[in-house]
Amino acid sequence: MAPLLQGIRVLDFGRYIAGPYCAAMLAEYGADVIRIEKRDGSEDRFTAPLAEGAGSLFLQMNRNKRSITLDPASPGGREVVAKMVKGADIVIANLPAATLKQMGLDYATLKGYREDIIFVTNTAYGPVGPMSQNVGFDTIGQAMSGAMYMTGDPGRPTRAAANWVDFGTALHCAFGTMAALMERAKTGRGQMVTGALLATALAVTNGTLIEQHVAQVNRVPTGNRGQTSAPVDVFEVTDGFILLAVTGNPLYRRWAKLMAADPATAEAGDPDWLTDPRFATDESRGIHRDILSERMARWCRPRDTDTVVNTLGAAMIPAAPVLSPQQALDHPQVQALGLMQPVMYPGLRVPAPVANVPIWLSETQAVPRQRAPTIGEHTDAVLGELGYSADAIATLRAQNVV
């Protein structure tokens, strides 16, 4: 069976995560994705370097892609872009609007090359508003959505280490791109797909924002402890930490019965966890979270990680070990998923564990994994496909176009 997106060509002018990961999703299902970068390699290639011309982020973002180098703003580069776009279906570029126009990569220019082109872009703050021209990374979304304010402890806003805003924007854009492809198949029309880091963060934190607007609760951060249910917290065990999440009355009743069945860690004066009115609903349990967390901490303290996680799992109570990056790689559940595929890259000491797309489709399969490209690895091949002769390519190199 042919790959789902076979025959779809994507030009990826993206940088870092939001653009490149969107393109990587398309490449994973068979699109021919051509990454276009600076002649000496774009800056995102070197983040957390592991080998010459490849950092860890680059290895993930650019698997299954081909690479050419190009200066699209030069006269020769504009000619190459025009030829490439005429044969492409999708152009991805997460660059500021002014930069896109300067480079000749704005939607109006691209439509002049191919009327039904699908142009995918995203910015930090969105296409309109007083900050729309400002630039930014993942953390601006965390900061301006209320997420950073609500993370950590009072008076110490804390960013998440994982780039969830960038990845969320990439996934929204990939969804938008597939919708645009479906629309074009029906109507023949291309369109512009626009995402924004701030918009993604606002969407993810929307429940908190709705509550604030309607109820004016003015919540403040509470570290790892939940606020709308309990016990939700991180607890110390004899060999590390575990996370527990109890939400909803059925889960809470299972937890309360587990506590009642353990007299060894009970104390005089403990309430009846099942009948005390302070613990009757998620909301009231959230208010009295400190009492519930203290009880769970006592239960966890004399036990090790496996005992706690297995006991809670058997009781159908959500819990998981808090793992370091190495522990995550080594964990049998992570390994059982088969998500991390070993991919070699020139200069690496060992293969890199590059994650597959984290979904399973019963009928549609991803394409075999190919490593991320070296700088300009496919420049000659791609230009040859556009009709450039070896002499013409040599001329472009002499002119610093590629």
Side-chain angles (χ1 to χ4, degrees), residues 312-364:
L312 293 169
M316 299 295 288
I317 298 170
V322 177
L323 303 177
S324 70
Q326 186 61 56
Q327 289 172 324
L329 289 168
D330 295 339
H331 197 278
Q333 178 59 37
V334 174
Q335 293 187 353
L337 291 175
L339 193 70
M340 303 297 184
Q341 294 296 305
V343 178
M344 203 62 198
Y345 186 91
L348 286 187
R349 180 179 59 84
V350 294
V354 178
N356 286 336
V357 175
I359 54 173
W360 288 265
L361 301 178
S362 63
E363 299 297 330
T364 305

Side-chain angles (χ1 to χ4, degrees), residues 228-295:
T228 58
S229 60
V232 175
D233 205 347
V234 170
F235 298 96
E236 188 170 6
V237 292
T238 59
D239 57 347
F241 296 89
I242 67 99
L243 175 114
L244 174 79
V246 174
T247 300
N249 287 339
L251 268 179
Y252 177 74
R253 284 192 290 269
R254 292 200 290 273
W255 176 85
K257 289 176 182 177
L258 193 64
M259 296 302 104
D262 182 47
T265 59
E267 290 183 353
D270 275 352
D272 187 316
W273 306 107
L274 281 168
T275 62
D276 193 304
R278 292 175 295 176
F279 313 132
T281 66
D282 272 339
E283 182 180 7
S284 59
R285 289 191 289 270
I287 292 170
H288 298 98
R289 57 187 171 270
D290 292 347
I291 300 171
L292 295 166
S293 278
E294 193 278 330
R295 177 64 184 100

Side-chain angles (χ1 to χ4, degrees), residues 83-392:
K83 290 185 177 181
M84 292 179 72
V85 173
K86 288 175 183 176
D89 299 278
I90 301 162
V91 176
I92 297 175
N94 58 320
L95 298 166
T99 302
L100 292 173
K101 191 168 184 62
Q102 178 187 2
M103 297 174 68
L105 298 176
D106 56 292
Y107 184 43
T109 300
L110 297 176
K111 280 187 69 176
Y113 303 142
R114 177 168 176 168
E115 177 65 26
D116 65 349
I117 197 71
I118 295 169
F119 178 53
V120 184
T121 188
N122 58 74
T123 63
Y125 295 92
V128 297
M131 299 179 72
S132 61
Q133 299 305 309
N134 293 13
V135 298
F137 288 114
D138 172 283
T139 43
I140 70 97
Q142 295 190 37
M144 290 189 64
S145 63
M148 189 179 295
Y149 175 86
M150 288 300 298
T151 303
D153 297 312
R156 296 183 62 85
T158 303
R159 72 173 180 86
N163 296 307
W164 59 269
V165 178
D166 271 336
F167 277 94
T169 303
L171 294 172
H172 283 129
C173 285
F175 174 82
T177 301
M178 295 300 292
L181 281 171
M182 293 176 68
E183 175 70 19
R184 194 177 72 174
K186 292 193 299 182
T187 67
R189 295 194 302 268
Q191 60 184 298
M192 186 172 176
V193 177
T194 304
L197 303 180
L198 177 56
T200 293
L202 292 169
V204 174
T205 59
N206 192 200
T208 299
L209 300 175
I210 291 170
E211 182 196 42
Q212 174 59 32
H213 180 75
V214 174
Q216 293 291 295
V217 290
N218 297 315
R219 293 191 184 277
V220 295
T222 53
N224 290 314
R225 291 188 178 175
Q227 299 191 1
T228 58
S229 60
V232 175
D233 205 347
V234 170
F235 298 96
E236 188 170 6
V237 292
T238 59
D239 57 347
F241 296 89
I242 67 99
L243 175 114
L244 174 79
V246 174
T247 300
N249 287 339
L251 268 179
Y252 177 74
R253 284 192 290 269
R254 292 200 290 273
W255 176 85
K257 289 176 182 177
L258 193 64
M259 296 302 104
D262 182 47
T265 59
E267 290 183 353
D270 275 352
D272 187 316
W273 306 107
L274 281 168
T275 62
D276 193 304
R278 292 175 295 176
F279 313 132
T281 66
D282 272 339
E283 182 180 7
S284 59
R285 289 191 289 270
I287 292 170
H288 298 98
R289 57 187 171 270
D290 292 347
I291 300 171
L292 295 166
S293 278
E294 193 278 330
R295 177 64 184 100
M296 187 62 189
R298 275 188 271 135
W299 187 88
C300 287
R301 198 169 292 125
R303 294 172 165 88
D304 63 19
T305 298
D306 287 345
T307 300
V308 168
V309 171
N310 291 339
T311 302
L312 293 169
M316 299 295 288
I317 298 170
V322 177
L323 303 177
S324 70
Q326 186 61 56
Q327 289 172 324
L329 289 168
D330 295 339
H331 197 278
Q333 178 59 37
V334 174
Q335 293 187 353
L337 291 175
L339 193 70
M340 303 297 184
Q341 294 296 305
V343 178
M344 203 62 198
Y345 186 91
L348 286 187
R349 180 179 59 84
V350 294
V354 178
N356 286 336
V357 175
I359 54 173
W360 288 265
L361 301 178
S362 63
E363 299 297 330
T364 305
Q365 301 303 312
V367 299
R369 175 59 47 82
Q370 300 295 320
R371 65 164 173 80
T374 58
I375 299 173
E377 181 175 352
H378 306 97
T379 299
D380 287 13
V382 172
L383 292 179
E385 292 167 8
L386 297 175
Y388 286 90
S389 66
D391 288 343

Side-chain angles (χ1 to χ4, degrees), residues 4-24:
L4 177 67
L5 296 179
Q6 181 173 301
I8 298 295
R9 175 164 286 189
V10 180
L11 306 181
D12 177 12
F13 290 89
R15 297 292 179 264
Y16 293 106
I17 297 173
Y21 194 61
C22 172

